[in-house]
Amino acid sequence: MTRPLTVITGGTRGIGAATARRLARDGHDLVLGYAGDDTAAKTTRKHVEEAGATCRTVKADVTDPDQVDALFDAAAEAGTLTGLVNNAGATLHIGPMVDTPTDVIQRVIDVNLTAAVYCARRALRDLAANDGGTIVNVSSSAATLGAPGEYVHYAAAKAGVDALTQGLAVEAAPYGVRVNAVAPGIVRTGIHEAAGEPGRMERVAPHVPLGRVGEPEEVAEAIVWLLGDACPYATGAVLRVAGGR
Ligand code: NAP
């Protein structure tokens, strides 16, 4: 039987890497996109290969449609695409929106929304030309909370990802392609330190009803469930994995 082949954008660190490790254990071959951290890419590739999967890592900035094509072309060389985890994202800066520099706002919207649209478009073209498949977008609980005082523009971009999920699910259905999203709450990854607040998890955890931050593996579980065949009637869904927040 042919093994599933999944592209994960931002598949080399955090939630994407946890998803890659889990999918490798489940028998997927993987193509992992990343922006620049070669060391993380090498480490995650090693973990995935140790689990018995083939793995390509592709440095491709997904805000650039030509680099998105290069990522999916690499996947086409590796086999027949069956799924996309549309996960690459960044917050970059924490603070009130009025104090946020223009270039940061532009980049955050490009990485979290525009890039997700480019990747979903290319994935749908490829999946429709094959036998169908599944796209899972990684949104955020910020899409409905608005992230006031932290990154309102990021929240707006993630609300766009939710709309992308709903609309594309309808367009993709005739091609046998399901489109869903997972909306994590605060999760233990490097995204917080990269935005300039390494202590964000300790600050926010007491406000989460479950009283703690989430682990990347807990979000990966939801992504893998939506990506697979366990619930083939689910499309256009946004599954919140946010400890009740
Ligand atoms: P992370 O640990 O910072 O990892 C981000 C990954 O995305 C890395 O592999 C990074 O590549 C890649 N990436 C970033 N910008 C890219 C670009 N322009 N092109 C290609 N790849 C790019 O982040 P994370 O916390 O796992 O976040 C994963 C997703 O979950 C994001 O969409 C994020 O918005 C969402 N999310 C996270 C949280 C949270 O609390 N962690 C909460 C809600 C939603 P390099 O390693 O090369 O930089």
Side-chain angles (χ1 to χ4, degrees), residues 9-17 33-38 40-41 60-63 86-91 107 111-112 115 138-142 151 154 158 182-192 194 200 216:
T9 67
T12 54
R13 285 197 292 124
I15 292 167
Y34 68 104
D37 188 337
D38 297 319
D61 181 345
V62 285
T63 65
N86 207 357
N87 164 77
T91 48
R107 182 72 185 162
V111 173
N112 292 285
V138 179
S139 177
S140 170
S141 61
Y151 22 65
Y154 168 83
K158 290 299 194 182
V182 170
I186 185 160
V187 180
R188 190 187 310 282
T189 73
I191 199 170
H192 315 291
R200 181 170 181 261

mmCIF file of all heavy atoms in Angstrom, residues 9-17 33-38 40-41 60-63 86-91 107 111-112 115 138-142 151 154 158 182-192 194 200 216, ligand 1:
data_model
loop_
_atom_site.group_PDB
_atom_site.id
_atom_site.type_symbol
_atom_site.label_atom_id
_atom_site.label_comp_id
_atom_site.label_asym_id
_atom_site.label_seq_id
_atom_site.Cartn_x
_atom_site.Cartn_y
_atom_site.Cartn_z
ATOM 1 N N THR A 9 4.319 22.863 6.692
ATOM 2 C CA THR A 9 5.071 24.118 6.689
ATOM 3 C C THR A 9 5.422 24.463 8.139
ATOM 4 O O THR A 9 4.621 24.238 9.049
ATOM 5 C CB THR A 9 4.277 25.269 6.039
ATOM 6 O OG1 THR A 9 3.143 25.581 6.857
ATOM 7 C CG2 THR A 9 3.807 24.907 4.636
ATOM 8 N N GLY A 10 6.636 24.976 8.346
ATOM 9 C CA GLY A 10 7.082 25.166 9.731
ATOM 10 C C GLY A 10 7.117 23.825 10.450
ATOM 11 O O GLY A 10 6.780 23.741 11.632
ATOM 12 N N GLY A 11 7.570 22.793 9.736
ATOM 13 C CA GLY A 11 7.522 21.437 10.285
ATOM 14 C C GLY A 11 8.736 21.040 11.090
ATOM 15 O O GLY A 11 8.856 19.876 11.486
ATOM 16 N N THR A 12 9.627 21.974 11.340
ATOM 17 C CA THR A 12 10.909 21.616 11.947
ATOM 18 C C THR A 12 11.044 22.040 13.406
ATOM 19 O O THR A 12 12.010 21.658 14.070
ATOM 20 C CB THR A 12 12.049 22.264 11.135
ATOM 21 O OG1 THR A 12 11.788 23.671 11.034
ATOM 22 C CG2 THR A 12 12.122 21.671 9.741
ATOM 23 N N ARG A 13 10.119 22.855 13.896
ATOM 24 C CA ARG A 13 10.165 23.290 15.303
ATOM 25 C C ARG A 13 8.749 23.300 15.871
ATOM 26 O O ARG A 13 7.764 23.337 15.127
ATOM 27 C CB ARG A 13 10.761 24.701 15.424
ATOM 28 C CG ARG A 13 12.258 24.721 15.243
ATOM 29 C CD ARG A 13 12.898 26.005 15.760
ATOM 30 N NE ARG A 13 12.557 27.174 14.988
ATOM 31 C CZ ARG A 13 11.996 28.268 15.488
ATOM 32 N NH1 ARG A 13 11.675 28.338 16.770
ATOM 33 N NH2 ARG A 13 11.725 29.294 14.691
ATOM 34 N N GLY A 14 8.637 23.313 17.189
ATOM 35 C CA GLY A 14 7.372 23.540 17.874
ATOM 36 C C GLY A 14 6.268 22.567 17.485
ATOM 37 O O GLY A 14 6.480 21.347 17.411
ATOM 38 N N ILE A 15 5.089 23.115 17.226
ATOM 39 C CA ILE A 15 3.903 22.305 16.922
ATOM 40 C C ILE A 15 4.116 21.503 15.630
ATOM 41 O O ILE A 15 3.736 20.336 15.538
ATOM 42 C CB ILE A 15 2.660 23.219 16.803
ATOM 43 C CG1 ILE A 15 2.311 23.808 18.178
ATOM 44 C CG2 ILE A 15 1.472 22.473 16.207
ATOM 45 C CD1 ILE A 15 1.308 24.969 18.140
ATOM 46 N N GLY A 16 4.746 22.119 14.634
ATOM 47 C CA GLY A 16 4.990 21.433 13.360
ATOM 48 C C GLY A 16 5.900 20.228 13.540
ATOM 49 O O GLY A 16 5.656 19.154 12.975
ATOM 50 N N ALA A 17 6.946 20.382 14.340
ATOM 51 C CA ALA A 17 7.880 19.267 14.571
ATOM 52 C C ALA A 17 7.200 18.146 15.353
ATOM 53 O O ALA A 17 7.407 16.964 15.060
ATOM 54 C CB ALA A 17 9.123 19.768 15.306
ATOM 55 N N GLY A 33 8.808 22.038 5.524
ATOM 56 C CA GLY A 33 9.284 23.367 5.145
ATOM 57 C C GLY A 33 9.747 24.128 6.377
ATOM 58 O O GLY A 33 9.257 23.898 7.482
ATOM 59 N N TYR A 34 10.710 25.014 6.183
ATOM 60 C CA TYR A 34 11.162 25.874 7.284
ATOM 61 C C TYR A 34 11.775 27.132 6.699
ATOM 62 O O TYR A 34 12.041 27.222 5.492
ATOM 63 C CB TYR A 34 12.149 25.140 8.198
ATOM 64 C CG TYR A 34 13.496 24.823 7.593
ATOM 65 C CD1 TYR A 34 14.627 25.564 7.932
ATOM 66 C CD2 TYR A 34 13.642 23.798 6.656
ATOM 67 C CE1 TYR A 34 15.865 25.276 7.382
ATOM 68 C CE2 TYR A 34 14.876 23.517 6.096
ATOM 69 C CZ TYR A 34 15.988 24.257 6.469
ATOM 70 O OH TYR A 34 17.207 23.984 5.907
ATOM 71 N N ALA A 35 12.023 28.129 7.591
ATOM 72 C CA ALA A 35 12.472 29.439 7.102
ATOM 73 C C ALA A 35 13.985 29.582 7.094
ATOM 74 O O ALA A 35 14.552 30.138 6.145
ATOM 75 C CB ALA A 35 11.859 30.544 7.959
ATOM 76 N N GLY A 36 14.672 29.120 8.156
ATOM 77 C CA GLY A 36 16.108 29.391 8.200
ATOM 78 C C GLY A 36 16.901 28.598 9.212
ATOM 79 O O GLY A 36 18.137 28.580 9.145
ATOM 80 N N ASP A 37 16.257 27.948 10.158
ATOM 81 C CA ASP A 37 16.970 27.256 11.233
ATOM 82 C C ASP A 37 17.378 25.855 10.768
ATOM 83 O O ASP A 37 16.650 24.874 10.966
ATOM 84 C CB ASP A 37 16.075 27.200 12.482
ATOM 85 C CG ASP A 37 16.812 26.657 13.706
ATOM 86 O OD1 ASP A 37 17.821 25.941 13.542
ATOM 87 O OD2 ASP A 37 16.353 26.943 14.825
ATOM 88 N N ASP A 38 18.583 25.784 10.158
ATOM 89 C CA ASP A 38 19.055 24.508 9.600
ATOM 90 C C ASP A 38 19.262 23.449 10.687
ATOM 91 O O ASP A 38 19.035 22.261 10.457
ATOM 92 C CB ASP A 38 20.377 24.722 8.849
ATOM 93 C CG ASP A 38 20.211 25.653 7.662
ATOM 94 O OD1 ASP A 38 19.199 25.533 6.949
ATOM 95 O OD2 ASP A 38 21.095 26.513 7.444
ATOM 96 N N ALA A 40 17.625 23.015 13.567
ATOM 97 C CA ALA A 40 16.331 22.415 13.943
ATOM 98 C C ALA A 40 15.840 21.486 12.843
ATOM 99 O O ALA A 40 15.291 20.407 13.121
ATOM 100 C CB ALA A 40 15.300 23.514 14.216
ATOM 101 N N ALA A 41 16.030 21.886 11.587
ATOM 102 C CA ALA A 41 15.580 21.053 10.464
ATOM 103 C C ALA A 41 16.294 19.704 10.480
ATOM 104 O O ALA A 41 15.672 18.646 10.300
ATOM 105 C CB ALA A 41 15.829 21.785 9.147
ATOM 106 N N ALA A 60 12.237 27.163 2.620
ATOM 107 C CA ALA A 60 11.367 27.908 1.696
ATOM 108 C C ALA A 60 10.543 28.905 2.500
ATOM 109 O O ALA A 60 9.756 28.502 3.366
ATOM 110 C CB ALA A 60 10.432 26.944 0.954
ATOM 111 N N ASP A 61 10.738 30.172 2.236
ATOM 112 C CA ASP A 61 9.929 31.208 2.895
ATOM 113 C C ASP A 61 8.543 31.197 2.246
ATOM 114 O O ASP A 61 8.387 31.584 1.079
ATOM 115 C CB ASP A 61 10.607 32.573 2.721
ATOM 116 C CG ASP A 61 9.822 33.695 3.397
ATOM 117 O OD1 ASP A 61 8.645 33.490 3.756
ATOM 118 O OD2 ASP A 61 10.402 34.787 3.547
ATOM 119 N N VAL A 62 7.543 30.774 2.997
ATOM 120 C CA VAL A 62 6.217 30.565 2.401
ATOM 121 C C VAL A 62 5.456 31.871 2.132
ATOM 122 O O VAL A 62 4.349 31.840 1.592
ATOM 123 C CB VAL A 62 5.350 29.588 3.236
ATOM 124 C CG1 VAL A 62 5.825 28.162 3.044
ATOM 125 C CG2 VAL A 62 5.336 29.960 4.717
ATOM 126 N N THR A 63 6.050 33.014 2.464
ATOM 127 C CA THR A 63 5.428 34.280 2.059
ATOM 128 C C THR A 63 5.717 34.576 0.590
ATOM 129 O O THR A 63 5.145 35.515 0.027
ATOM 130 C CB THR A 63 5.916 35.477 2.913
ATOM 131 O OG1 THR A 63 7.311 35.678 2.681
ATOM 132 C CG2 THR A 63 5.663 35.232 4.394
ATOM 133 N N ASN A 86 -0.781 23.214 7.307
ATOM 134 C CA ASN A 86 -0.471 24.605 6.938
ATOM 135 C C ASN A 86 -0.170 25.363 8.239
ATOM 136 O O ASN A 86 -1.021 26.055 8.776
ATOM 137 C CB ASN A 86 -1.719 25.163 6.234
ATOM 138 C CG ASN A 86 -1.418 26.257 5.248
ATOM 139 O OD1 ASN A 86 -0.279 26.687 5.085
ATOM 140 N ND2 ASN A 86 -2.474 26.732 4.596
ATOM 141 N N ASN A 87 1.057 25.209 8.722
ATOM 142 C CA ASN A 87 1.361 25.511 10.127
ATOM 143 C C ASN A 87 2.319 26.676 10.338
ATOM 144 O O ASN A 87 2.314 27.274 11.424
ATOM 145 C CB ASN A 87 1.944 24.228 10.753
ATOM 146 C CG ASN A 87 2.656 24.468 12.056
ATOM 147 O OD1 ASN A 87 2.016 24.646 13.094
ATOM 148 N ND2 ASN A 87 3.985 24.498 12.024
ATOM 149 N N ALA A 88 3.130 27.043 9.346
ATOM 150 C CA ALA A 88 4.151 28.082 9.576
ATOM 151 C C ALA A 88 3.496 29.351 10.106
ATOM 152 O O ALA A 88 2.452 29.791 9.615
ATOM 153 C CB ALA A 88 4.899 28.379 8.279
ATOM 154 N N GLY A 89 4.100 29.930 11.125
ATOM 155 C CA GLY A 89 3.530 31.146 11.704
ATOM 156 C C GLY A 89 4.530 31.808 12.622
ATOM 157 O O GLY A 89 5.553 31.220 12.985
ATOM 158 N N ALA A 90 4.236 33.044 12.979
ATOM 159 C CA ALA A 90 5.121 33.798 13.873
ATOM 160 C C ALA A 90 4.346 34.983 14.442
ATOM 161 O O ALA A 90 3.414 35.492 13.805
ATOM 162 C CB ALA A 90 6.342 34.298 13.089
ATOM 163 N N THR A 91 4.743 35.405 15.654
ATOM 164 C CA THR A 91 4.125 36.605 16.245
ATOM 165 C C THR A 91 5.082 37.805 16.201
ATOM 166 O O THR A 91 4.644 38.940 16.125
ATOM 167 C CB THR A 91 3.665 36.326 17.689
ATOM 168 O OG1 THR A 91 4.726 35.680 18.404
ATOM 169 C CG2 THR A 91 2.441 35.426 17.713
ATOM 170 N N ARG A 107 4.668 41.908 8.063
ATOM 171 C CA ARG A 107 5.294 40.580 8.053
ATOM 172 C C ARG A 107 4.406 39.545 8.760
ATOM 173 O O ARG A 107 4.267 38.413 8.303
ATOM 174 C CB ARG A 107 6.675 40.678 8.731
ATOM 175 C CG ARG A 107 7.463 39.382 8.754
ATOM 176 C CD ARG A 107 7.977 39.015 7.366
ATOM 177 N NE ARG A 107 8.627 37.704 7.363
ATOM 178 C CZ ARG A 107 8.865 36.981 6.278
ATOM 179 N NH1 ARG A 107 8.534 37.436 5.083
ATOM 180 N NH2 ARG A 107 9.449 35.808 6.350
ATOM 181 N N VAL A 111 3.081 36.242 6.968
ATOM 182 C CA VAL A 111 3.467 34.885 7.387
ATOM 183 C C VAL A 111 2.244 34.075 7.807
ATOM 184 O O VAL A 111 2.121 32.898 7.459
ATOM 185 C CB VAL A 111 4.492 34.934 8.547
ATOM 186 C CG1 VAL A 111 4.765 33.535 9.096
ATOM 187 C CG2 VAL A 111 5.791 35.586 8.103
ATOM 188 N N ASN A 112 1.338 34.705 8.561
ATOM 189 C CA ASN A 112 0.238 33.941 9.151
ATOM 190 C C ASN A 112 -0.984 33.800 8.252
ATOM 191 O O ASN A 112 -1.739 32.843 8.402
ATOM 192 C CB ASN A 112 -0.177 34.565 10.487
ATOM 193 C CG ASN A 112 0.898 34.402 11.532
ATOM 194 O OD1 ASN A 112 1.088 33.315 12.067
ATOM 195 N ND2 ASN A 112 1.656 35.476 11.789
ATOM 196 N N ALA A 115 0.684 33.678 3.418
ATOM 197 C CA ALA A 115 1.411 32.427 3.149
ATOM 198 C C ALA A 115 0.491 31.216 3.267
ATOM 199 O O ALA A 115 0.587 30.277 2.471
ATOM 200 C CB ALA A 115 2.583 32.289 4.118
ATOM 201 N N VAL A 138 -3.341 25.722 10.690
ATOM 202 C CA VAL A 138 -3.120 25.992 12.111
ATOM 203 C C VAL A 138 -3.461 27.459 12.370
ATOM 204 O O VAL A 138 -2.763 28.371 11.921
ATOM 205 C CB VAL A 138 -1.701 25.628 12.559
ATOM 206 C CG1 VAL A 138 -1.523 25.945 14.047
ATOM 207 C CG2 VAL A 138 -1.450 24.136 12.309
ATOM 208 N N SER A 139 -4.585 27.642 13.050
ATOM 209 C CA SER A 139 -5.085 28.967 13.402
ATOM 210 C C SER A 139 -4.611 29.295 14.815
ATOM 211 O O SER A 139 -3.507 28.931 15.230
ATOM 212 C CB SER A 139 -6.612 28.955 13.285
ATOM 213 O OG SER A 139 -7.155 30.180 13.665
ATOM 214 N N SER A 140 -5.443 29.956 15.591
ATOM 215 C CA SER A 140 -5.110 30.284 16.984
ATOM 216 C C SER A 140 -6.394 30.669 17.711
ATOM 217 O O SER A 140 -7.317 31.224 17.097
ATOM 218 C CB SER A 140 -4.136 31.461 17.027
ATOM 219 O OG SER A 140 -3.988 31.933 18.349
ATOM 220 N N SER A 141 -6.417 30.431 19.027
ATOM 221 C CA SER A 141 -7.545 30.929 19.820
ATOM 222 C C SER A 141 -7.593 32.455 19.767
ATOM 223 O O SER A 141 -8.631 33.063 20.012
ATOM 224 C CB SER A 141 -7.440 30.448 21.269
ATOM 225 O OG SER A 141 -6.247 30.930 21.852
ATOM 226 N N ALA A 142 -6.459 33.078 19.404
ATOM 227 C CA ALA A 142 -6.428 34.540 19.255
ATOM 228 C C ALA A 142 -7.429 35.022 18.210
ATOM 229 O O ALA A 142 -7.904 36.167 18.272
ATOM 230 C CB ALA A 142 -5.018 35.001 18.868
ATOM 231 N N TYR A 151 -1.005 41.204 20.279
ATOM 232 C CA TYR A 151 -0.815 41.248 18.821
ATOM 233 C C TYR A 151 -2.183 41.121 18.121
ATOM 234 O O TYR A 151 -2.529 40.056 17.604
ATOM 235 C CB TYR A 151 0.157 40.184 18.305
ATOM 236 C CG TYR A 151 0.385 38.971 19.179
ATOM 237 C CD1 TYR A 151 -0.645 38.071 19.452
ATOM 238 C CD2 TYR A 151 1.647 38.700 19.697
ATOM 239 C CE1 TYR A 151 -0.428 36.948 20.221
ATOM 240 C CE2 TYR A 151 1.880 37.574 20.484
ATOM 241 C CZ TYR A 151 0.842 36.707 20.738
ATOM 242 O OH TYR A 151 1.041 35.594 21.512
ATOM 243 N N TYR A 154 -2.036 39.982 14.513
ATOM 244 C CA TYR A 154 -1.857 38.519 14.406
ATOM 245 C C TYR A 154 -3.219 37.828 14.557
ATOM 246 O O TYR A 154 -3.559 36.927 13.787
ATOM 247 C CB TYR A 154 -0.886 38.067 15.493
ATOM 248 C CG TYR A 154 -0.799 36.568 15.737
ATOM 249 C CD1 TYR A 154 0.011 35.749 14.948
ATOM 250 C CD2 TYR A 154 -1.499 35.971 16.788
ATOM 251 C CE1 TYR A 154 0.107 34.375 15.202
ATOM 252 C CE2 TYR A 154 -1.409 34.608 17.049
ATOM 253 C CZ TYR A 154 -0.606 33.810 16.247
ATOM 254 O OH TYR A 154 -0.518 32.455 16.509
ATOM 255 N N LYS A 158 -5.171 35.421 11.925
ATOM 256 C CA LYS A 158 -5.646 34.066 12.233
ATOM 257 C C LYS A 158 -7.167 33.957 12.022
ATOM 258 O O LYS A 158 -7.658 32.883 11.643
ATOM 259 C CB LYS A 158 -5.264 33.673 13.656
ATOM 260 C CG LYS A 158 -3.755 33.438 13.853
ATOM 261 C CD LYS A 158 -3.218 32.316 12.974
ATOM 262 C CE LYS A 158 -1.823 31.871 13.408
ATOM 263 N NZ LYS A 158 -1.268 30.809 12.523
ATOM 264 N N VAL A 182 -7.071 23.715 13.248
ATOM 265 C CA VAL A 182 -6.901 23.568 14.691
ATOM 266 C C VAL A 182 -6.517 24.943 15.231
ATOM 267 O O VAL A 182 -5.670 25.634 14.648
ATOM 268 C CB VAL A 182 -5.814 22.519 15.016
ATOM 269 C CG1 VAL A 182 -5.455 22.544 16.492
ATOM 270 C CG2 VAL A 182 -6.297 21.129 14.609
ATOM 271 N N ALA A 183 -7.171 25.353 16.320
ATOM 272 C CA ALA A 183 -6.889 26.656 16.932
ATOM 273 C C ALA A 183 -6.299 26.443 18.323
ATOM 274 O O ALA A 183 -7.035 26.293 19.302
ATOM 275 C CB ALA A 183 -8.170 27.486 17.004
ATOM 276 N N PRO A 184 -4.971 26.438 18.417
ATOM 277 C CA PRO A 184 -4.362 26.232 19.732
ATOM 278 C C PRO A 184 -4.473 27.489 20.597
ATOM 279 O O PRO A 184 -4.523 28.615 20.095
ATOM 280 C CB PRO A 184 -2.881 25.973 19.407
ATOM 281 C CG PRO A 184 -2.782 25.836 17.919
ATOM 282 C CD PRO A 184 -3.966 26.545 17.344
ATOM 283 N N GLY A 185 -4.473 27.268 21.911
ATOM 284 C CA GLY A 185 -4.252 28.366 22.851
ATOM 285 C C GLY A 185 -2.760 28.491 23.078
ATOM 286 O O GLY A 185 -1.970 28.208 22.169
ATOM 287 N N ILE A 186 -2.352 28.901 24.263
ATOM 288 C CA ILE A 186 -0.913 29.086 24.477
ATOM 289 C C ILE A 186 -0.208 27.731 24.623
ATOM 290 O O ILE A 186 -0.622 26.885 25.411
ATOM 291 C CB ILE A 186 -0.629 30.018 25.672
ATOM 292 C CG1 ILE A 186 0.879 30.267 25.782
ATOM 293 C CG2 ILE A 186 -1.250 29.504 26.968
ATOM 294 C CD1 ILE A 186 1.232 31.503 26.572
ATOM 295 N N VAL A 187 0.851 27.561 23.825
ATOM 296 C CA VAL A 187 1.540 26.276 23.730
ATOM 297 C C VAL A 187 3.042 26.500 23.946
ATOM 298 O O VAL A 187 3.597 27.520 23.519
ATOM 299 C CB VAL A 187 1.284 25.642 22.338
ATOM 300 C CG1 VAL A 187 1.992 24.297 22.221
ATOM 301 C CG2 VAL A 187 -0.215 25.474 22.092
ATOM 302 N N ARG A 188 3.686 25.535 24.597
ATOM 303 C CA ARG A 188 5.101 25.631 24.948
ATOM 304 C C ARG A 188 5.995 25.440 23.711
ATOM 305 O O ARG A 188 6.348 24.319 23.352
ATOM 306 C CB ARG A 188 5.446 24.557 25.990
ATOM 307 C CG ARG A 188 6.833 24.702 26.616
ATOM 308 C CD ARG A 188 7.167 23.515 27.519
ATOM 309 N NE ARG A 188 6.116 23.218 28.474
ATOM 310 C CZ ARG A 188 5.905 23.909 29.594
ATOM 311 N NH1 ARG A 188 6.693 24.910 29.901
ATOM 312 N NH2 ARG A 188 4.915 23.574 30.408
ATOM 313 N N THR A 189 6.300 26.541 23.022
ATOM 314 C CA THR A 189 7.227 26.497 21.885
ATOM 315 C C THR A 189 8.110 27.756 21.946
ATOM 316 O O THR A 189 7.914 28.627 22.802
ATOM 317 C CB THR A 189 6.491 26.502 20.525
ATOM 318 O OG1 THR A 189 5.968 27.831 20.290
ATOM 319 C CG2 THR A 189 5.367 25.497 20.458
ATOM 320 N N GLY A 190 9.004 27.871 20.984
ATOM 321 C CA GLY A 190 9.915 29.011 20.949
ATOM 322 C C GLY A 190 9.285 30.291 20.415
ATOM 323 O O GLY A 190 9.950 31.336 20.370
ATOM 324 N N ILE A 191 8.011 30.250 20.037
ATOM 325 C CA ILE A 191 7.378 31.406 19.388
ATOM 326 C C ILE A 191 7.332 32.614 20.338
ATOM 327 O O ILE A 191 7.441 33.761 19.894
ATOM 328 C CB ILE A 191 5.967 31.031 18.865
ATOM 329 C CG1 ILE A 191 5.480 32.022 17.798
ATOM 330 C CG2 ILE A 191 4.953 30.926 19.994
ATOM 331 C CD1 ILE A 191 4.200 31.589 17.065
ATOM 332 N N HIS A 192 7.214 32.348 21.640
ATOM 333 C CA HIS A 192 7.056 33.435 22.614
ATOM 334 C C HIS A 192 8.382 34.170 22.825
ATOM 335 O O HIS A 192 8.432 35.402 22.845
ATOM 336 C CB HIS A 192 6.495 32.882 23.927
ATOM 337 C CG HIS A 192 5.356 31.943 23.714
ATOM 338 N ND1 HIS A 192 4.130 32.382 23.238
ATOM 339 C CD2 HIS A 192 5.260 30.584 23.828
ATOM 340 C CE1 HIS A 192 3.325 31.325 23.100
ATOM 341 N NE2 HIS A 192 3.988 30.241 23.448
ATOM 342 N N ALA A 194 10.825 34.217 20.706
ATOM 343 C CA ALA A 194 11.153 34.891 19.445
ATOM 344 C C ALA A 194 10.423 36.226 19.325
ATOM 345 O O ALA A 194 10.884 37.138 18.630
ATOM 346 C CB ALA A 194 10.800 33.980 18.265
ATOM 347 N N ARG A 200 6.270 34.664 28.693
ATOM 348 C CA ARG A 200 4.829 34.790 28.385
ATOM 349 C C ARG A 200 4.031 33.592 28.899
ATOM 350 O O ARG A 200 2.907 33.752 29.375
ATOM 351 C CB ARG A 200 4.615 34.967 26.879
ATOM 352 C CG ARG A 200 3.149 35.117 26.515
ATOM 353 C CD ARG A 200 2.901 35.524 25.078
ATOM 354 N NE ARG A 200 1.469 35.666 24.858
ATOM 355 C CZ ARG A 200 0.705 34.733 24.295
ATOM 356 N NH1 ARG A 200 1.232 33.611 23.844
ATOM 357 N NH2 ARG A 200 -0.595 34.920 24.163
ATOM 358 N N PRO A 216 3.155 20.962 22.648
ATOM 359 C CA PRO A 216 3.017 20.806 21.189
ATOM 360 C C PRO A 216 2.412 19.459 20.800
ATOM 361 O O PRO A 216 1.633 19.383 19.845
ATOM 362 C CB PRO A 216 4.467 20.917 20.683
ATOM 363 C CG PRO A 216 5.223 21.593 21.758
ATOM 364 C CD PRO A 216 4.521 21.345 23.056
HETATM 365 P P1 NAP B 1 7.658 27.969 16.352
HETATM 366 O O1 NAP B 1 8.037 26.974 17.399
HETATM 367 O O2 NAP B 1 8.216 29.344 16.425
HETATM 368 O O3 NAP B 1 7.981 27.329 14.919
HETATM 369 C C1 NAP B 1 7.644 28.040 13.776
HETATM 370 C C2 NAP B 1 7.991 27.226 12.541
HETATM 371 O O4 NAP B 1 7.538 27.967 11.391
HETATM 372 C C3 NAP B 1 9.480 27.018 12.362
HETATM 373 O O5 NAP B 1 9.712 25.771 11.742
HETATM 374 C C4 NAP B 1 9.862 28.157 11.412
HETATM 375 O O6 NAP B 1 11.042 27.910 10.641
HETATM 376 C C5 NAP B 1 8.635 28.204 10.525
HETATM 377 N N1 NAP B 1 8.441 29.486 9.838
HETATM 378 C C6 NAP B 1 8.270 30.708 10.393
HETATM 379 N N2 NAP B 1 8.147 31.646 9.436
HETATM 380 C C7 NAP B 1 8.243 31.010 8.246
HETATM 381 C C8 NAP B 1 8.229 31.402 6.897
HETATM 382 N N3 NAP B 1 8.079 32.689 6.533
HETATM 383 N N4 NAP B 1 8.385 30.471 5.940
HETATM 384 C C9 NAP B 1 8.550 29.161 6.275
HETATM 385 N N5 NAP B 1 8.568 28.716 7.525
HETATM 386 C C10 NAP B 1 8.429 29.625 8.511
HETATM 387 O O7 NAP B 1 6.063 28.166 16.301
HETATM 388 P P2 NAP B 1 4.864 27.304 16.930
HETATM 389 O O8 NAP B 1 4.539 27.869 18.253
HETATM 390 O O9 NAP B 1 5.112 25.851 16.782
HETATM 391 O O10 NAP B 1 3.685 27.768 15.946
HETATM 392 C C11 NAP B 1 3.175 26.914 14.927
HETATM 393 C C12 NAP B 1 1.815 27.464 14.508
HETATM 394 O O11 NAP B 1 0.940 27.452 15.643
HETATM 395 C C13 NAP B 1 1.850 28.918 14.030
HETATM 396 O O12 NAP B 1 0.957 29.076 12.954
HETATM 397 C C14 NAP B 1 1.371 29.698 15.243
HETATM 398 O O13 NAP B 1 0.797 30.930 14.878
HETATM 399 C C15 NAP B 1 0.353 28.732 15.803
HETATM 400 N N6 NAP B 1 0.051 28.936 17.230
HETATM 401 C C16 NAP B 1 1.016 28.820 18.168
HETATM 402 C C17 NAP B 1 0.689 29.018 19.497
HETATM 403 C C18 NAP B 1 1.694 28.912 20.614
HETATM 404 O O14 NAP B 1 1.391 29.333 21.738
HETATM 405 N N7 NAP B 1 2.870 28.345 20.355
HETATM 406 C C19 NAP B 1 -0.639 29.355 19.842
HETATM 407 C C20 NAP B 1 -1.593 29.459 18.853
HETATM 408 C C21 NAP B 1 -1.238 29.244 17.536
HETATM 409 P P3 NAP B 1 12.521 28.208 11.297
HETATM 410 O O15 NAP B 1 12.695 27.206 12.409
HETATM 411 O O16 NAP B 1 13.447 27.993 10.170
HETATM 412 O O17 NAP B 1 12.464 29.608 11.802
#
